[in-house]
Amino acid sequence: MATKSISAEFTKGFWDENPVFRQLLGMCPTLAVTTAVINGIAMGLATSFVLIFSSLVVSSIKKIIPSQVRIASYIVIIATFVTMADRFLAAFFPPISKNLGPYVPLIVVNCIILGRQEAFSSKNSIGRSLIDALGMSCGFILALLLLSSIRELLGSGGILGHQILGSWFKPWIIMILPAGAFLTLGLLLGLALFIESKTKPGR
Amino acid sequence: MELLAIFISAILINNFVLHYFLGICPFLGVSKKIDSAVSMGLAVTFVMTITAVVSWIINHWILIPKKLEYLQIVSFILVIASLVQLVEMFIRKASPPLYQALGIYLPLITTNCAIMGLALLAVLKEYKFLETVIFGFGSGIGFTLAIVLMAGIREQLELADVPEPLKGAGISLIVAGIMALAFTGFSGMIK
């Protein structure tokens, strides 16, 4: 772990250890909020905020947390930042907060965040944890953007409210329904593995 | 009548897995065999019902009178974590066979977002006490139904010829998608 260069630490979250496509973590918000790109972006940013600040706090006080109660401590730290994000969205972006509904408070049980604290921040320096958190956040936002773009484009014929496909296009209602989320993510996972098997022979 | 509507809608229409996308991790992780899926479903139903009761009491007797609603997230997650621990200790003493059957699934429930989601959704929907309990129990049954169906399909999938890149999570998600599509047929059954 420690031998990795700073840039490798940052970029591993993009593809090699992408939280959604490779580690299959944080599936609930990924599937639930990606009906529209704007929701995906909001969710991605909120999760990143929580992930980055929790990593910062956990890595700076890792020496004083007794290992028996570390999970509980992490959860309290995470829950504090989730509360901040939730209140912030509710105060400044009420419509988005309404769209995301219970999924903002649910960031607290997002396995990506707890997973990174346990697997990385509790063992590495503040700087490295910060870079790791930034990389993972980018990977997560990337995955949300990809999924929400596909779903919004096919589900409504446009992205961010701008009509892209012409009037000949009949929106696929299924893409906005829960079923569309499962199908799209399943096919994307298959695609990711397919690319992986083509680019890395011998695996 | 109202209660019956909440119960049925929690099982079929607003199914936790297929409609709210809550509890996807165990849904994908513990659905390889029907036996373990049933155990997981029972454990979740059990904890969900208790969580519904406890979170309602905390919210209505402590947080709302003291105007501390912003502490909901922190207090719910702590309550759920300690509750699961408590339930585990209680079952181990009271009913060793049940403890054997639930096995490692009980501690895993702490990180199950379905439980946290249940506490938050019950608050969001402004359910009264009895409604919250019915909602919790129904949601648990709904989760069990989804995970057992999924396990049944996956046992058959073992024999199917699935394209290499889709093996594992990919095909499971596609199957879940088709199930979700089937379940949308129930919507409109109850207004």
Side-chain angles (χ1 to χ4, degrees):
Chain A
M1 267 302 207
T3 52
K4 258 189 188 154
S5 72
I6 298 291
S7 60
E9 209 73 87
F10 181 60
T11 50
K12 70 170 192 254
F14 288 20
W15 180 257
D16 284 342
E17 294 181 26
N18 185 298
V20 176
F21 293 129
R22 308 311 306 274
Q23 302 188 52
L24 301 179
L25 293 178
M27 302 297 255
C28 309
T30 311
L31 291 163
V33 303
T34 48
T35 46
V37 176
I38 185 78
N39 294 346
I41 295 176
M43 189 68 200
L45 289 178
T47 309
S48 308
F49 165 80
V50 176
L51 178 56
I52 290 166
F53 281 90
S54 313
S55 288
L56 203 62
V57 171
V58 167
S59 62
S60 36
I61 61 169
K62 61 177 180 285
K63 288 214 177 68
I64 56 171
I65 301 179
S67 66
Q68 298 92 328
V69 294
R70 64 181 195 287
I71 303 284
S73 326
Y74 299 160
I75 288 180
V76 175
I77 293 169
I78 295 168
T80 312
F81 286 111
V82 172
T83 310
M84 284 186 203
D86 186 36
R87 297 279 112 184
F88 177 80
L89 277 177
F92 291 98
F93 304 98
I96 292 183
S97 168
K98 211 168 149 38
N99 273 346
L100 295 179
Y103 296 104
V104 180
L106 278 176
I107 296 175
V108 79
V109 278
N110 188 323
C111 350
I112 298 176
I113 299 177
L114 194 60
R116 283 338 277 173
Q117 310 312 328
E118 174 71 6
F120 202 89
S121 300
S122 57
K123 300 185 189 108
N124 287 280
S125 67
I126 301 178
R128 269 182 183 276
S129 306
L130 199 60
I131 288 166
D132 173 73
L134 278 172
M136 285 295 156
S137 306
C138 291
F140 185 59
I141 294 179
L142 225 60
L144 284 181
L145 267 182
L146 188 64
L147 196 58
S148 58
S149 314
I150 296 176
R151 286 183 68 192
E152 194 178 349
L153 185 67
L154 294 178
S156 69
I159 283 179
L160 287 172
H162 300 290
Q163 203 64 26
I164 290 180
L165 298 174
S167 52
W168 51 267
F169 181 75
K170 221 166 159 37
W172 303 359
I173 303 295
I174 180 182
M175 295 310 278
I176 303 184
L177 294 176
F182 284 116
L183 292 176
T184 316
L185 189 60
L187 291 174
L188 277 177
L189 281 178
L191 190 68
L193 277 179
F194 181 70
I195 295 171
E196 179 80 12
S197 66
K198 288 282 169 227
T199 50
K200 285 196 186 134
R203 265 191 64 163
Chain B
M1 213 42 225
E2 188 91 328
L3 292 177
L4 189 68
I6 290 175
F7 185 62
I8 298 206
S9 114
I11 297 177
L12 292 177
I13 301 165
N14 296 330
N15 186 291
F16 256 52
V17 177
L18 301 169
H19 184 263
Y20 286 121
F21 305 106
L22 296 170
I24 300 287
C25 305
F27 179 65
L28 294 180
V30 198
S31 59
K32 288 210 179 76
K33 285 221 171 63
I34 293 187
D35 301 350
S36 46
V38 172
S39 305
M40 185 71 189
L42 288 180
V44 167
T45 311
F46 189 63
V47 175
M48 264 187 168
T49 316
I50 300 179
T51 306
V53 174
V54 176
S55 68
W56 191 91
I57 291 175
I58 289 192
N59 195 34
H60 286 257
W61 289 2
I62 302 176
L63 296 182
I64 290 179
K66 298 232 185 297
K67 302 226 179 321
L68 290 173
E69 283 100 331
Y70 62 90
L71 283 181
Q72 263 165 7
I73 303 174
V74 181
S75 47
F76 283 176
I77 189 79
L78 283 178
V79 165
I80 291 168
S82 38
L83 197 67
V84 172
Q85 200 90 61
L86 202 71
V87 168
E88 192 191 347
M89 290 192 300
F90 178 74
I91 294 182
R92 187 158 43 180
K93 283 271 180 252
S95 164
L98 184 63
Y99 182 76
Q100 286 290 326
L102 297 181
I104 57 154
Y105 300 116
L106 217 44
L108 276 181
I109 294 173
T110 318
T111 51
N112 185 339
C113 43
I115 312 286
M116 183 71 181
L118 173 89
L120 292 166
L121 278 171
V123 171
L124 216 63
K125 289 175 183 246
E126 297 173 351
Y127 280 154
K128 293 186 192 64
F129 181 70
L130 205 56
E131 292 170 344
T132 308
V133 177
I134 296 287
F135 179 61
F137 182 62
S139 301
I141 300 284
F143 177 84
T144 311
L145 179 69
I147 197 171
V148 171
L149 283 178
M150 185 71 181
I153 296 174
R154 278 181 79 172
E155 281 189 355
Q156 298 296 312
L157 268 181
E158 295 279 305
L159 309 169
D161 184 21
V162 179
E164 193 60 38
L166 281 178
K167 276 201 176 123
I171 193 72
S172 310
L173 280 167
I174 292 174
V175 167
I178 297 169
M179 270 170 72
L181 201 58
F183 269 71
T184 45
F186 289 117
S187 64
M189 203 164 80
I190 290 173
K191 284 282 176 304

